[in-house]
Amino acid sequence: MNTAQVQPSVSNRIANLSESQTLKMAAQARALAAKGVDVIKLSLGEPDFTTPAHIKAAAKQAIDDDFGFYTPVPAYMGLREAIAEKLQKDNQLEVTAENIVVSTGAKQSLINVISCLVNPGDEVIVFTPYWVSYLPMIQLAEGKAVLVEGDIDNEFKVTPEQLAAAITPRTKAILYSSPSNPTGTVYSKEELKAFADIVAQHEQVFIIADEIYEYITFEDGYFSIGAFDHVKDRTITVNGFSKGFAMTGWRVGYAAAPKWLADACIKMQGQFTSATCSIAQKAAYAAIVEDKTPSLQMRDAYLRRRDLVLSLLKEIEGIKTYVPKGAFYIFPDVSTYFGKSDGTTTIASANDLCMYLRYEAHVALVGCECFGAPNCLRISFAASDEQLKEALHRIKDKLALLK
Ligand code: PMP
Ligand code: GLU
């Protein structure tokens, strides 16, 4: 008889997958707070506002109306139609309900699209800095991420020349967010046109445009790349309700994709989760068709806070900033502190600085190796003015101790 103990282990696929650093940082900050530490959490990218009242009312009504059964996998038809109408009207996309697949957050929309598009060995060009979950998703699809880096001196924007140089016969897609998480960079219509012109020359290349921060833009003229005629059949637009409507926990996102790809996403989702929560779907419907004033008010508050954080950061020596044009993040270069020490801790990386600030200043941020930019730190300014002032004050004090 074989008495050797077999150690239980997870699959290689999951063992090799990195954990979401944003969620990990948020969990660590919560754990610190649970111990009674007065930690200011600027780590998780999540609105600090509550879901607007009319959206909550729609959900309550849905419960009372017994809308608690399974819906069709891509959502009930009324929601798909409303999303298609929004995309036609606001974003000039030529879509109908059959192009829309609603999922359990934009996160699931992204993994659906990537899994349904990318074959093993296919290359996906990822604008860098990138959102943390893009690379693990490409990895799960056995694709190869090709990083194209934007420079902080150019607001972290990737240039058309960089994109053109990165495309190979194996390129399947380009993937970016605008406004960007983690940088807040927003691409203009002209810049997107230049990308579209390049992609149009390579008929095997698709565009995955993550527009989840669409409602949080600080300048006029938000534009969706899928509106350009020459790439409209090869663009997948991903969006959701978490950020613009303060609905992170409701878990509703969507993809607008060519019908053949939307159908593939429905097939995949049908085997994983089915439709997202029916009650949340009714809430999302209210968000999309009813009053947008609360979203605009939140956007105005984020703009005010951005300016507050920028002005406070300018008072801190050595931190290099730029002006984010959307989302609620700022991503300063902190490399000037590398090699410095407070006498006990020596800072070798942005992650070290992040730890130092968490344990010494009790401010939770995200160190940015997980965003593909090792010199930077992500600060979320989705927090109250008071919290932001106090956090930046603490950061300034503790950074001053590093010599
Ligand atoms: N894309 C980006 C760029 C994000 O920041 C987020 C935030 N979590 C998501 C997608 C996913 O959002 P959700 O799943 O909450 O809709
Ligand atoms: N997107 C947010 C962030 O970047 C939420 C956390 C997550 O889903 O990764 O912090």
Side-chain angles (χ1 to χ4, degrees):
M1 197 175 86
N2 185 358
T3 53
Q5 289 273 316
V6 177
Q7 288 301 320
S9 64
V10 299
S11 66
N12 295 340
R13 182 185 303 112
I14 297 306
N16 293 333
L17 194 72
S18 55
E19 185 180 350
S20 166
Q21 291 301 306
T22 47
L23 299 184
K24 184 174 167 185
M25 293 299 152
Q28 288 181 355
R30 274 188 212 115
L32 212 55
K35 284 190 195 147
V37 177
D38 169 28
V39 60
I40 302 178
K41 299 185 212 112
L42 308 183
S43 44
L44 192 61
E46 149 159 277
D48 58 319
F49 296 103
T50 53
T51 306
H54 67 281
I55 299 176
K56 293 193 283 196
K60 289 176 195 162
Q61 188 64 49
I63 295 173
D64 288 343
D65 290 347
D66 282 325
F67 197 69
F69 296 96
Y70 289 134
T71 70
V73 171
Y76 77 95
M77 191 45 94
L79 177 59
R80 293 171 81 196
E81 283 169 352
I83 291 170
E85 206 173 302
K86 173 253 182 284
L87 292 172
Q88 290 161 14
K89 199 159 62 68
D90 296 352
N91 309 82
Q92 287 75 55
L93 301 190
E94 274 179 34
V95 288
T96 62
E98 65 180 14
N99 302 108
I100 309 301
V101 183
V102 178
S103 300
T104 307
K107 218 172 216 178
Q108 189 182 23
S109 305
L110 285 161
I111 190 74
N112 280 350
V113 168
I114 292 169
S115 308
C116 292
L117 207 51
V118 174
N119 275 315
D122 282 352
E123 293 173 2
V124 180
I125 295 175
V126 182
F127 289 13
T128 304
Y130 47 75
W131 178 49
V132 274
S133 294
Y134 290 162
L135 264 49
M137 287 180 183
I138 295 167
Q139 184 186 336
L140 282 174
E142 296 177 56
K144 180 171 173 262
V146 175
L147 307 185
V148 179
E149 286 179 36
D151 194 299
I152 190 169
D153 291 323
N154 188 31
E155 293 179 28
F156 290 107
K157 284 179 177 172
V158 165
T159 64
E161 293 72 31
Q162 285 178 293
L163 175 61
I167 294 180
T168 75
R170 298 240 54 176
T171 307
K172 191 60 183 267
I174 69 170
L175 169 59
Y176 67 88
S177 55
S178 175
S180 156
N181 179 359
T183 63
T185 301
V186 182
Y187 287 98
S188 68
K189 182 175 180 181
E190 292 66 39
E191 288 160 342
L192 293 172
K193 164 91 168 39
F195 294 147
D197 290 348
I198 293 163
V199 169
Q201 292 165 25
H202 302 273
E203 60 183 11
Q204 86 284 10
V205 181
F206 290 81
I207 301 169
I208 307 171
D210 181 345
E211 302 190 349
I212 192 159
Y213 294 94
E214 175 190 8
Y215 287 100
I216 311 172
T217 50
F218 307 134
E219 292 182 351
D220 290 340
Y222 184 77
F223 195 82
S224 295
I225 195 166
F228 289 119
D229 230 23
H230 53 325
V231 290
K232 69 173 188 229
D233 295 333
R234 286 194 276 138
T235 301
I236 300 97
T237 305
V238 173
N239 205 329
F241 295 82
S242 289
K243 315 293 171 170
F245 299 96
M247 291 175 67
T248 46
W250 297 75
R251 311 307 303 132
V252 196
Y254 58 89
K259 186 171 181 315
W260 59 269
L261 187 58
D263 288 345
C265 291
I266 295 168
K267 179 161 88 172
M268 177 169 163
Q269 185 167 301
Q271 296 289 24
F272 272 73
T273 54
S274 298
T276 193
C277 166
S278 57
I279 305 302
Q281 289 183 42
K282 284 283 181 177
Y285 179 84
I288 214 156
V289 302
E290 290 180 22
D291 185 18
K292 303 286 185 313
T293 311
S295 297
L296 298 175
Q297 287 167 340
M298 290 187 250
R299 192 266 321 268
D300 291 347
Y302 295 132
L303 174 57
R304 197 187 59 246
R305 292 158 175 192
R306 177 200 72 176
D307 291 340
L308 173 68
V309 171
L310 274 176
S311 72
L312 295 170
L313 280 175
K314 283 203 183 103
E315 290 173 15
I316 305 177
E317 209 180 316
I319 288 200
K320 186 168 175 184
T321 56
Y322 59 97
V323 182
K325 304 287 172 17
F328 36 60
Y329 307 106
I330 177 142
F331 199 64
D333 185 316
V334 291
S335 56
T336 185
Y337 290 98
F338 297 176
K340 294 191 177 174
S341 171
D342 67 346
T344 314
T345 311
T346 302
I347 307 299
S349 65
N351 279 348
D352 282 355
L353 194 63
C354 183
M355 290 296 180
Y356 172 75
L357 291 173
R358 173 154 353 116
Y359 293 111
E360 297 300 323
H362 297 154
V363 178
L365 308 170
V366 189
C368 289
E369 276 149 42
C370 62
F371 299 107
N375 290 342
C376 300
L377 271 184
R378 192 185 77 173
I379 303 174
S380 163
F381 49 83
S384 72
D385 294 28
E386 292 65 37
Q387 283 178 312
L388 292 170
K389 279 186 209 153
E390 172 63 16
L392 271 292
H393 173 72
R394 291 186 196 178
I395 291 173
K396 185 180 176 185
D397 281 359
K398 293 299 172 188
L399 290 183
L401 301 179
L402 296 173
K403 306 283 179 213

